Amino acid sequence: MGPHPAVAAIRLAVRRVLHDVLTHHHAQGRHDPPLVLVACSGGADSMALASALAFEAPKLGVRAGGVTVDHGLQGGSDLRAAEVALRLRALRLDPVETLTVEVGRDGGPEAAARDARYAALDAAAERHGAAAVLLGHTRDDQAETVLLGLARGSGTRSLSGMAATSGTDGRYRRPFLDVDRQTARKACLMQSLPVWDDPHNNDPAYTRSRLRHEGLPALEKALGKGVVEALARTAQLSRDDADALDAWAAAAEAAVFDDAGTMDIAALYALPPAVRRRVLRRAVIAAGSPAGSLFARHIEEVDRLITAWRGQGAINLPGRVGVRRQGGRLVIRQG
């Protein structure tokens, strides 16, 4: 008798990613066994991911390790992290490391925790020479991310949600974006894997928690089942569109910049709005404006210097970047 369908589903998802990691590793001319780390909080999603990695990696000649992050945001978080590390070692993952981070305040608690976590994971991947870090985001997480982007009035890129592969050189892999949260939990149950439910996931103080426990259930009640799957499909379609528009914008840059680094207003005006705004965003970020602090309203203000010119003055953007219209040119400078 084969494994339970939930267990089989998570193992298949991980096997596909490991095959891709191996292919990329060998394409770089390396023949040593690559190391793949799993980022594990101890929750059902990441424990299911850790167990699937532990099962599949040895069969493919991949080394498998694990890391857990102690954000220090709850009493006893260090003890919980130590317990998760023990569970990872019980799965025979090696190396296993606990990463302790200090969470700042920039961007709110959720964003600050995420920034601290990814910085620690990046450092661990570099330290251990890992070919990839697996993350346990599920289809449900993807649906929530799309809705959050929609509520903020974000563009196509934000609506595309989380990428299956992201980070430096494709470091981060998300095998479960086509797997629902219930399947991951069922896999843990069928394997008798202990899981930890983060109280923050049920805390209404957090936007994502409210969306998970109130927003999505209300949508499913009003629209019927299948909302999560539909949102996940929307993410993929939006990602395809965003990739195409980004490529168009990158190619269009050569026609709008001059040798002095200013931009030709007429050439910008001739571009489709979606492409023009991407060109402007890329230019502003290149000038020093932090991408995480740059919102659609900022780019819309810059765009009005081109499409609705009424003699308005310079626009000040995050990162002390200023944008002004000077004759037929758009000048973007820091400081």
Side-chain angles (χ1 to χ4, degrees):
M1 181 182 294
H4 185 276
V7 177
I10 64 166
R11 288 177 178 175
L12 177 60
V14 169
R15 190 183 315 141
R16 287 171 174 164
V17 168
L18 293 183
H19 274 297
D20 189 57
V21 171
L22 273 170
T23 300
H24 183 68
H25 192 69
H26 293 155
Q28 294 178 315
R30 300 185 60 177
H31 302 288
D32 57 316
L35 171 64
V36 174
L37 299 174
V38 57
C40 185
S41 67
D45 303 340
S46 58
M47 281 303 300
L49 183 58
S51 71
L53 175 63
F55 182 83
E56 294 292 339
K59 298 193 296 181
L60 295 173
V62 173
R63 295 167 53 216
V67 292
T68 186
V69 180
D70 176 13
H71 296 86
L73 297 177
Q74 303 169 34
S77 63
D78 55 337
L79 297 177
R80 179 198 58 77
E83 185 177 347
V84 173
L86 285 174
R87 292 176 188 172
L88 295 178
R89 292 188 179 98
L91 291 171
R92 298 187 178 180
L93 298 181
D94 181 43
V96 170
E97 186 178 2
T98 298
L99 311 173
T100 302
V101 300
E102 185 173 335
V103 177
R105 297 183 179 180
D106 290 346
E110 293 168 278
R114 183 177 60 249
D115 290 346
R117 179 167 60 253
Y118 277 103
L121 291 174
D122 278 333
E126 294 287 346
R127 192 163 53 250
H128 293 289
V133 178
L134 305 188
L135 305 175
H137 298 119
T138 64
R139 187 166 59 195
D140 301 78
D141 295 309
Q142 184 74 300
E144 292 162 9
T145 301
V146 173
L147 279 177
L148 287 170
L150 186 63
R152 292 174 183 137
S154 302
T156 310
R157 176 57 67 190
S158 182
L159 295 183
S160 66
M162 295 174 285
T165 301
S166 64
T168 304
D169 200 27
R171 168 176 292 158
Y172 293 109
R173 307 294 183 109
R174 297 176 175 86
F176 287 176
L177 289 183
D178 290 324
V179 176
D180 62 72
R181 190 174 289 143
Q182 196 57 41
T183 297
R185 186 168 287 276
K186 175 70 80 172
C188 289
L189 178 65
M190 299 310 299
Q191 297 175 97
S192 300
L193 291 172
V195 299
W196 173 74
D197 290 313
D198 187 347
H200 282 171
N201 290 336
N202 296 309
D203 188 344
Y206 293 93
T207 304
R208 188 177 284 269
S209 175
R210 295 195 301 275
L211 181 60
R212 180 173 302 176
H213 297 290
E214 301 172 28
L216 269 173
L219 280 175
E220 292 201 328
K221 183 178 179 180
L223 303 175
K225 295 293 183 182
V227 170
V228 167
E229 292 84 351
L231 287 168
R233 284 197 302 275
T234 296
Q236 186 55 58
L237 293 170
S238 297
R239 181 166 298 280
D240 292 342
D241 290 349
D243 287 345
L245 288 168
D246 285 347
W248 189 350
E253 283 183 346
V256 300
F257 276 101
D258 62 18
D259 293 339
T262 64
M263 307 173 79
D264 183 85
I265 296 290
L268 284 167
Y269 189 87
L271 293 172
V275 178
R276 181 174 62 245
R277 287 171 186 153
R278 278 170 165 76
V279 171
L280 294 174
R281 179 179 173 83
R282 288 165 62 95
V284 169
I285 291 172
S289 195
S293 302
L294 200 59
F295 302 120
R297 59 182 173 82
H298 292 130
I299 303 304
E300 287 167 4
E301 285 185 48
V302 176
D303 196 42
R304 278 194 287 272
L305 292 177
I306 300 160
T307 62
W309 173 244
R310 297 291 185 273
Q312 57 264 48
I315 295 169
N316 297 314
L317 299 174
R320 298 185 302 108
V321 171
V323 185
R324 72 181 189 278
R325 179 164 172 155
Q326 185 175 307
R329 318 297 298 178
L330 195 70
V331 181
I332 304 175
R333 295 285 186 269
Q334 189 174 46

